């Protein structure tokens, strides 16, 4: 039941991101158990250049600016 609730809470990501298009229900249930939701305010710094990361982020709403040398190089 916990996996079903997690899938429901993350349904927007699963429905809108092409990476999950072909995933089985069992795969989505397993993945959803490991998802965590975080909210960031405009101007929040998520990662520093060269920083080692061990997670994958999906933007559900809003946008993300990639800044290099004080210049916006991409908007996701």
């Amino acid at each position: 039941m916990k996996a079903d609730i997690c899938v429901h809470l993350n349904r927007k990501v699963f429905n809108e991101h092409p990476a999950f298009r072909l995933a089985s229900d069992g795969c989505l249930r397993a993945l959803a158990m490991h998802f965590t939701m975080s909210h960031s305010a405009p101007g929040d710094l998520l990662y520093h250049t060269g920083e080692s990361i061990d997670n994958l982020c999906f933007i559900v709403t809003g946008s993300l600016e990639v800044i290099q040398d004080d210049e916006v190089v991409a908007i996701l």
Side-chain angles (χ1 to χ4, degrees):
M1 180 179 240
K2 182 178 179 181
D4 292 329
I5 293 169
C6 290
V7 168
H8 175 73
L9 292 173
N10 293 290
R11 181 59 60 192
K12 184 173 177 74
V13 174
F14 291 146
N15 287 340
E16 294 182 9
H17 200 285
F20 304 109
R21 186 180 66 236
L22 300 176
S24 67
D25 288 342
C27 179
L28 295 179
R29 289 169 51 105
L31 287 170
M33 294 288 291
H34 297 285
F35 277 18
T36 57
M37 184 78 64
S38 76
H39 301 273
S40 300
D44 282 357
L45 181 62
L46 302 182
Y47 298 106
H48 290 89
T49 301
E51 181 178 6
S52 177
I53 60 170
D54 60 357
N55 55 25
L56 179 64
C57 298
F58 294 93
I59 301 168
V60 178
T61 59
S63 62
L64 175 78
E65 289 183 346
V66 179
I67 300 173
Q68 184 175 15
D69 299 326
D70 295 325
E71 183 179 330
V72 176
V73 295
I75 298 177
L76 309 174

